[in-house]
Amino acid sequence: EKEKEELKKKRQSYQARLMNVKELISKKEGDELALKKELEKIENEGKELDRQENELLKREKKAPWNVDTISKPGFEKTVINKKPPRKAAEDLTEEEREQRMKQFVKENEKLCKQYGMLRKYDDSKRFLQEHLDLVCEETANYLVIWSINLEMEEKHDLMAHVAHQCICMQYILELAKQLDVDPRACVSSFFSKIQQCVPEYRQQFESEIEGFKGRIQKRAQEKLQEAMAQLEEEEKQERMGPGGLDPADVFESLPEELKACFESRDIELLQKTIATMPVDQAKYHMKRCVDSG
């Protein structure tokens, strides 16, 4: 834990210095050559920090389980050869999951959107390392919902970008499942892998993104159709007459001669038309007209 805290402080210092030097270079303030050398030195420090973090994770995973490594205040049972469950594996009911998702969005929606808008792997890695609470199923779920809404709004390019960030998060979560560790411990590993990956891995990653975008587009179309159907149903309910019939449906079912009467709003013509019709048929149609208002 002490080593983790020291690494965290080093990471914060490294990021502050990196941003400062990049800003100076972009503004062309100071000796450009010296600044570029300093930037290279800082970036090498960042790689070393990544190596130290990975090494720490490996050592932590191999550490023997004993009372010093597993006990906490209030610990009351013995655990033998049992790894701690990952955060994502909590056994929650649907209601609990929904409540947790609502609380997560309430607290982290702004940060989720910031992550979803990032474009460079290094920026995404840095952002997630600064906000480790985002490395979870809830962020992935939020990005899926946001992608669907963007596609429904016909913001196709933005949807594609958010979809990419969503797949990155899902890959991190999947890596955590494979290693059986907390997803927050896999951020550095995933981004190192995706930036230095073999062509086959990159192809698989890109294929997963394309498949995901296809599923998003399909779901967006379904939701639009559902919304249209609901709107039509609401409009139909508003039109309903006192007898519970839709005037549009009733009008379409009328004989052509009765349709002409209602279209022209000619009461005299209506009376004459009804007089020429069989009594049962006239009663049937007129009752439906009254019931539809």
Side-chain angles (χ1 to χ4, degrees):
E1 289 303 316
K2 188 177 178 182
E3 284 185 66
K4 282 183 185 177
E5 191 59 34
E6 287 175 359
L7 275 174
K8 184 179 178 182
K9 289 178 182 177
K10 286 181 182 178
R11 173 71 64 183
Q12 291 171 343
S13 172
Y14 153 75
Q15 288 167 349
R17 287 161 53 216
L18 183 68
M19 290 176 65
N20 183 50
V21 172
K22 283 186 175 181
E23 188 177 354
L24 290 174
I25 292 174
S26 67
K27 292 181 179 178
K28 297 183 178 179
E29 296 179 2
D31 186 339
E32 186 176 356
L33 186 60
L35 286 172
K36 285 184 177 178
K37 285 184 179 179
E38 180 67 16
L39 178 62
E40 185 178 355
K41 179 184 174 184
I42 294 171
E43 287 176 340
N44 287 334
E45 287 180 22
K47 291 177 183 177
E48 176 61 20
L49 280 174
D50 289 344
R51 188 194 67 75
Q52 290 177 15
E53 287 174 352
N54 287 331
E55 184 65 30
L56 182 61
L57 287 172
K58 288 178 185 176
R59 284 196 286 116
E60 187 176 34
K61 192 178 178 186
K62 291 178 181 178
W65 289 97
N66 56 46
V67 69
D68 296 317
T69 56
I70 63 176
S71 74
K72 295 180 181 179
F75 188 78
E76 295 176 350
K77 62 180 180 180
T78 304
V79 179
I80 301 174
N81 290 333
K82 186 175 180 182
K83 293 181 180 180
R86 287 175 285 107
K87 185 180 179 182
E90 289 176 355
D91 188 16
L92 301 175
T93 65
E94 283 300 317
E95 187 177 345
E96 287 171 332
R97 287 178 186 277
E98 185 179 348
Q99 189 57 40
R100 190 165 96 168
M101 184 66 189
K102 285 181 180 178
Q103 186 64 28
F104 176 83
V105 171
K106 182 179 178 182
E107 295 173 357
N108 299 286
E109 184 170 20
K110 186 176 179 182
L111 289 174
C112 286
K113 287 198 170 184
Q114 282 181 260
Y115 165 72
M117 297 297 286
L118 295 175
R119 294 192 173 274
K120 296 180 180 178
Y121 286 126
D122 286 337
D123 292 339
S124 294
K125 175 183 174 181
R126 189 181 306 115
F127 189 81
L128 290 178
Q129 285 175 331
E130 291 172 357
H131 304 93
L132 287 172
D133 286 346
L134 294 185
V135 188
C136 60
E137 292 281 354
E138 285 75 20
T139 296
N141 293 339
Y142 177 84
L143 294 175
V144 170
I145 295 167
W146 188 19
S147 297
I148 293 171
N149 290 337
L150 288 170
E151 181 64 21
M152 289 174 68
E153 295 168 8
E154 298 188 353
K155 296 177 180 177
H156 308 299
D157 291 341
L158 186 54
M159 179 280 286
H161 181 71
V162 174
H164 174 275
Q165 294 297 89
C166 182
I167 293 299
C168 285
M169 181 60 67
Q170 290 182 350
Y171 261 62
I172 293 171
L173 297 173
E174 184 58 35
L175 182 61
K177 287 180 183 177
Q178 292 172 3
L179 299 176
D180 197 24
V181 296
D182 191 301
R184 293 172 294 184
C186 297
V187 174
S188 182
S189 300
F190 165 73
F191 285 106
S192 296
K193 189 172 184 180
I194 196 64
Q195 287 176 289
Q196 303 165 13
C197 64
V198 294
E200 291 79 6
Y201 187 82
R202 168 70 67 178
Q203 187 177 359
Q204 178 190 348
F205 181 74
E206 297 292 343
S207 175
E208 185 62 40
I209 292 174
E210 290 305 311
F212 179 72
K213 288 193 291 188
R215 294 191 294 274
I216 289 294
Q217 289 163 351
K218 182 180 178 182
R219 182 59 187 138
Q221 283 298 317
E222 289 172 352
K223 283 180 71 71
L224 283 172
Q225 290 169 4
E226 289 168 7
M228 288 297 293
Q230 184 178 351
L231 182 61
E232 288 175 4
E233 182 61 28
E234 288 173 358
E235 289 177 348
K236 184 176 180 179
Q237 292 299 324
E238 289 176 2
R239 291 197 305 263
M240 286 295 186
L245 297 182
D246 182 355
D249 291 343
V250 171
F251 181 81
E252 288 303 318
S253 70
L254 293 175
E256 290 301 323
E257 57 270 28
L258 280 179
K259 280 185 183 179
C261 298
F262 283 103
E263 282 177 335
S264 63
R265 298 174 181 262
D266 190 330
I267 295 175
E268 187 177 345
L269 178 61
L270 176 61
Q271 291 170 339
K272 288 180 181 178
T273 304
I274 289 172
T276 63
M277 295 174 67
V279 175
D280 290 347
Q281 190 178 352
K283 280 185 177 180
Y284 168 75
H285 285 300
M286 290 311 297
K287 184 178 187 308
R288 282 169 54 79
C289 288
V290 172
D291 288 344
S292 70

